[in-house]
Amino acid sequence: MPLWVLCNDLTIGQIYWFFQAQDSVVRGNIARSFTALYKDSHRHGEEITSIQLDKIYRRIKDFRNICAHDERLYCAHPHDRNITVFQLVKDLRLVTDKKRYLEFLQQFESLLVNLEKDIPDYIGYVCCEMGLQNVDVLQTWMQTSRKL
């Protein structure tokens, strides 16, 4: 069975552990494939390493599990205080095509802007817990991502 068929039926966690089980040559080949996919949808290429993929998919898996267990996402810091929702947002840039990533950022920004209207006294706390100083940081990130 081809791996791409198998991956359609695996969970994010299973894909993460499958990647972990591969030897360094296979992991390097997968990273080079992600580098090529990134270059196909962005103006500037960026090398994606197997170490980066390992970290990115671990964070994706951990945040997905937080969501699946109905825990609060905005203030989650799996394994490390420096791992935040905004770190996950930045990670997704490397493993998502540019068009979909920019759509995601637009939706994320819209949620934050609406939240800022609904709870203006607490938006600073929420942003801080997500790894943002304020909504402007996300808007700056969006502008930078559009240029890439």
Side-chain angles (χ1 to χ4, degrees):
M1 174 183 299
L3 285 178
W4 61 269
V5 172
L6 176 65
C7 285
N8 288 331
D9 291 327
L10 295 177
T11 66
I12 292 172
Q14 289 169 330
I15 290 172
Y16 170 76
W17 289 112
F18 185 75
F19 181 75
Q20 292 297 307
Q22 302 308 306
D23 65 35
S24 61
V25 172
V26 172
R27 290 163 56 106
N29 288 337
I30 293 169
R32 280 187 286 288
S33 293
F34 272 94
T35 298
L37 289 170
Y38 182 89
K39 187 175 181 182
D40 285 346
S41 70
H42 294 77
R43 288 184 204 149
H44 305 287
E46 185 164 331
E47 183 178 350
I48 301 168
T49 68
S50 61
I51 293 169
Q52 283 176 299
L53 276 181
D54 179 52
K55 291 177 182 178
I56 290 168
Y57 276 105
R58 180 178 180 182
R59 288 190 285 260
I60 290 171
K61 171 188 68 73
D62 291 343
F63 278 107
R64 181 259 169 221
N65 288 341
I66 289 166
C67 292
H69 295 283
D70 292 327
E71 297 175 30
R72 284 183 302 207
L73 181 65
Y74 81 93
C75 61
H77 302 279
H79 307 293
D80 183 340
R81 192 74 187 149
N82 294 323
I83 297 174
T84 63
V85 169
F86 189 53
Q87 178 61 55
L88 178 66
V89 167
K90 293 189 290 187
D91 287 343
L92 290 173
R93 178 179 61 89
L94 296 175
V95 294
T96 308
D97 71 74
K98 185 176 182 177
K99 181 182 179 216
R100 287 186 183 170
Y101 183 67
L102 292 175
E103 289 169 0
F104 163 74
L105 286 178
Q106 188 65 47
Q107 291 172 356
F108 186 56
E109 179 198 30
S110 178
L111 288 171
L112 283 179
V113 167
N114 288 335
L115 191 64
E116 188 172 32
K117 290 175 189 172
D118 293 341
I119 56 168
D121 294 341
Y122 298 99
I123 192 67
Y125 172 76
V126 171
C127 284
C128 183
E129 285 296 317
M130 289 192 307
L132 295 162
Q133 289 79 17
N134 53 49
V135 178
D136 294 340
V137 172
L138 178 61
Q139 291 167 340
T140 301
W141 178 256
M142 289 173 64
Q143 291 172 355
T144 301
S145 296
R146 282 187 190 103
K147 294 175 186 175
L148 296 174

